[in-house]
Amino acid sequence: MRLGADRVRVRVPATSANLGPGFDALGLALALHDDVEVRALGSPDVVVDVTGEGAGEVPDDERHLVVQALRAGLDHAGAPQSGLHLVCHNRIPHGRGLGSSAAAVVAGLAAARGLVAEPQALSDDVLLALATELEGHPDNAAPAILGGATLAWGGTGSVRAVPLDVHPDVAPVVVIPPTTLSTKAARGVLPPTVPHADAAQQAGRAALLVEALGRRPELLLDATVDTLHQEYRRSVMPHSLALVDALRSAGVAAVVSGAGPTVLALARRLEGGGTDADEAIAAAFGGAMGGWRVLPLAVAHGGVEIVAAANG
Ligand code: HSE
């Protein structure tokens, strides 16, 4: 297969995985986007320019995640490889549990879709399978591809995902610490087994969360009780868990976003503006933010998007 275009621009959303009890399964796309421009070059050079998050920190060669994913996408479509010039405008913070790696991988795969002459070779199902193979977290990849809330299941080679309803009153707010934490470190503190009673409770809460998110936001506090990962992770993100505790005591459905350390509040929109989490968040910090950022982010109802593709 040949290339159908030599320039493409894609836009991919941040994502929050788990949402409390949906460990490794549920995810939500958030309206904070990375933009990636790709130009296929006539030479074998690889040039990566990054502005914003990760600038000066991520590799600027073949090791760059967008490049790796783009190459995997071209290979899968049977399209030729070429030199590449990437310009990444990054807004999704790195190492914070907001799906920056999944976004990079999904952006690279979508860029490949935009470049090849037969984009149907890189359908959403194929993107999800390839992203899971490359990055390992379908709970981030699925909402980055499909938008909105998603439920992913199955593993490498058999992964699937469906979209879930999100009630219009649900107003996510993320509270981002100044510190980073790798997913590897956050998974390293999880136990190999959990008590049966905890697993049983988790199943009920995850099922309730689907109902609460889509139709009954007043149940979100009960629906976001987690017994599989957050408490085990307290030692590697004590401040995040302290904030989750404070917000939940104030009635806010707060959880750790993905593998942390960002905190996600599944707040509710108030009629006069703002959310029902705003006061509790302000009270928890008492005016001293210490480098933490509070970002109200709408649900991103669309997933990764090819904004433009062109030749010449
Ligand atoms: N479900 C994964 C975890 C998310 O919590 O480890 C990784 O982004």
Side-chain angles (χ1 to χ4, degrees):
M1 190 195 286
R2 62 194 171 77
L3 293 184
D6 64 10
R7 272 182 298 147
V8 64
R9 185 182 175 109
V10 303
R11 165 160 262 234
V12 64
T15 51
S16 182
N18 301 330
L19 310 182
F23 183 68
D24 279 358
L26 293 175
L28 182 65
L30 299 169
L32 179 69
H33 294 85
D34 283 351
D35 289 303
V36 181
E37 296 165 42
V38 178
R39 178 187 279 272
L41 302 176
S43 69
D45 302 335
V46 173
V47 183
V48 181
D49 296 319
V50 178
T51 61
E53 301 288 341
E57 292 163 15
V58 294
D60 60 359
D61 52 23
E62 289 286 348
R63 294 168 302 158
H64 191 274
L65 265 185
V66 175
V67 176
Q68 288 185 30
L70 200 158
R71 297 228 177 275
L74 293 178
D75 281 348
H76 184 90
Q81 295 291 343
S82 74
L84 296 166
H85 183 192
L86 257 67
V87 182
C88 303
H89 306 278
N90 292 344
R91 298 181 192 86
I92 306 171
H94 289 191
R96 303 303 210 294
L98 287 168
S100 63
S101 305
V105 167
V106 167
L109 293 168
R113 177 194 279 172
L115 291 177
V116 300
E118 290 164 26
Q120 63 277 14
L122 292 166
S123 64
D124 284 351
D125 288 347
V126 170
L127 255 55
L128 181 62
L130 291 175
T132 303
E133 218 170 277
L134 290 165
E135 204 263 338
H137 298 293
D139 46 342
N140 288 112
I145 294 166
L146 300 175
T150 56
L151 170 63
W153 73 98
T156 301
S158 66
V159 64
R160 297 184 61 193
V162 287
L164 301 174
D165 290 342
V166 182
H167 193 283
D169 286 355
V170 175
V173 180
V174 294
V175 191
I176 308 171
T179 49
T180 60
L181 177 67
S182 75
T183 299
K184 192 171 172 208
R187 290 186 89 84
V189 294
L190 298 178
T193 59
V194 296
H196 188 275
D198 287 355
Q201 162 153 274
Q202 190 91 353
R205 299 302 170 117
L208 178 61
L209 181 50
V210 172
E211 173 69 9
L213 204 53
R215 281 169 292 278
R216 306 275 302 273
E218 73 277 11
L219 295 176
L220 278 168
L221 183 61
D222 279 352
T224 47
V225 172
D226 159 75
T227 42
L228 288 193
H229 67 107
Q230 293 186 170
E231 196 53 46
Y232 296 109
R233 289 172 156 169
R234 187 179 289 271
S235 62
V236 290
M237 49 178 127
H239 302 298
S240 304
L241 266 298
L243 179 59
V244 167
D245 292 345
L247 296 181
R248 294 191 68 84
S249 303
V252 174
V255 296
V256 172
S257 179
T262 290
V263 171
L264 167 73
L266 289 171
R268 284 196 279 159
R269 200 175 310 287
L270 296 178
E271 273 194 12
T275 78
D276 67 350
D278 299 349
E279 261 180 41
I281 293 171
F285 284 98
M289 295 307 292
W292 289 64
R293 284 185 292 154
V294 180
L295 281 187
L297 293 176
V299 174
H301 290 286
V304 68
E305 187 189 353
I306 296 172
V307 182
N311 249 319

